[in-house]
Amino acid sequence: MSALDEEIEPRSRGRSRVVAIGAAVAAGAGLAVQARLNGELGARLGDGVAASLASTTAGVLVLLALVPTVATGRRGLRFVGAALRTGSLRWWHCCGGVGGALFVAGQGVSVGTLGVAVFTVAVVGGTAVGSLVADRSGLGPGGRHPITTARIGGAAACVAAVAIAAHDRLGSQGTVLLLGLPLLAGVAAAVQSALNGRVGAAARSPWPATLVSFVVAEVALGLALLVVLAVRGVPAGRLPAEPWLYAAGLVGIVVIATAAHFVGRIGVLVFSLAGVAGQLLGALALDALTAGPRPSVATWIGTAVTFGAVALAARPSSRREPRA
């Protein structure tokens, strides 16, 4: 390799990382919109799980109409089947949709009480821990990423952001318990990104991975709804007529496809934290412009801490371990 090539290659990698981080921020902003839509639909139906299933069903129908009908989609599905048969892709790698089901269910159940901004910041804590572990174990397609001081610092800063942004809403036990759901949803979202990235790499396209994720999420949410119906009965609300309320599933398609395509370039932790930064931008705007809970000073401070965590965690490491 010439001296010029050695100079250009790091620049190319740097541009690729910037593009991937920008895509993650954009996808995160979409998640903020998805949270608001699922929260509103859950309030109308009187059940967050039913709302999540309704929006996920809309996404499944769109994907089933598109992915198997185009050549790249069919080819990607064949690649996934071949990888499963050879063992290069394990069956549980295809279960990322379970994490997605938990995430969207958490949106439908808790956003109405916590507000989009606090829900999003609470997700940061779970995402930080889950992403750090996923990268260290090599769960994603980009191989193992070592646990460095910068990465631990980024994850710790995100946990601090949760405490700062949510401290003024911890006055009742119910709210404390409700915060546990988005924290768990954050862990699930990190695992989902890693697994969907694996499937996307095997399919050589993000769209088959998105379809697999949505189908698994549909099954998981359907089972969860059966449990809810058995315990609490049929929700009192009715399916609203406004079609825009079901657009959360369409937003989810873009978010999951983005993760499946880009997570291998920057790792689960950096992708997830950059996505959280985008979520916070969108969430703060939504809470400020609507009749929902107004963002507090603490929430703004938590947002600033999270952006600092992204910058810290995104610092390139000189060490990288091979994929398992």
Side-chain angles (χ1 to χ4, degrees):
M1 180 181 293
S2 67
L4 180 60
D5 289 336
E6 291 178 353
E7 181 180 355
I8 292 175
E9 187 175 358
R11 291 181 181 178
S12 178
R13 287 199 302 267
R15 286 194 296 268
S16 179
R17 285 177 62 83
V18 169
V19 170
I21 291 173
V25 171
L31 277 178
V33 176
Q34 184 188 49
R36 177 54 56 89
L37 292 172
N38 274 334
E40 177 65 22
L41 185 57
R44 298 280 194 95
L45 290 175
D47 188 280
V49 176
S52 300
L53 180 60
S55 62
T56 301
T57 299
V60 168
L61 293 176
V62 170
L63 287 167
L64 286 176
L66 294 179
V67 176
T69 60
V70 298
T72 55
R74 293 193 299 272
R75 184 166 58 248
L77 291 174
R78 288 197 297 270
F79 285 147
V80 171
L84 287 170
R85 288 191 296 271
T86 61
S88 59
L89 191 69
R90 306 293 179 85
W91 66 268
W92 52 270
H93 288 150
C94 298
C95 294
V98 175
L102 180 58
F103 185 84
V104 296
Q107 289 177 338
V109 171
S110 61
V111 164
T113 300
L114 298 176
V116 176
V118 172
F119 172 87
T120 304
V121 178
V123 169
V124 173
T127 300
V129 175
S131 299
L132 198 60
V133 173
D135 272 344
R136 180 63 185 86
S137 62
L139 190 60
R144 291 189 175 95
H145 295 256
I147 297 179
T148 64
T149 301
R151 293 170 68 80
I152 293 176
C158 285
V159 175
V162 174
I164 292 171
H167 85 279
D168 59 340
R169 303 200 182 181
L170 298 178
S172 66
Q173 183 180 8
T175 303
V176 173
L177 295 176
L178 197 59
L179 276 172
L181 187 55
L183 286 170
L184 182 59
V187 175
V191 173
Q192 180 190 26
S193 294
L195 295 181
N196 287 344
R198 282 260 187 176
V199 178
R204 305 176 195 177
S205 168
W207 302 111
T210 305
L211 174 59
V212 170
S213 183
F214 261 77
V215 170
V216 172
E218 178 86 355
V219 173
L221 286 169
L223 294 174
L225 183 60
L226 291 177
V227 174
V228 170
L229 293 176
V231 174
R232 296 192 315 208
V234 179
R238 295 183 178 181
L239 287 171
E242 298 93 326
W244 59 269
L245 285 173
Y246 304 95
L250 306 182
V251 175
I253 290 175
V254 177
V255 171
I256 293 176
T258 301
H261 184 68
F262 288 105
V263 72
R265 299 188 188 183
I266 53 178
V268 181
L269 179 65
V270 175
F271 183 92
S272 298
L273 297 189
V276 166
Q279 289 178 59
L280 288 170
L281 284 178
L284 287 169
L286 286 171
D287 275 350
L289 297 175
T290 65
R294 297 300 180 187
S296 65
V297 174
T299 303
W300 285 101
I301 294 174
T303 302
V305 172
T306 305
F307 271 94
V310 174
L312 184 60
R315 292 176 58 185
S317 172
S318 59
R319 295 185 297 121
R320 190 172 180 181
E321 300 175 28
R323 187 173 65 185

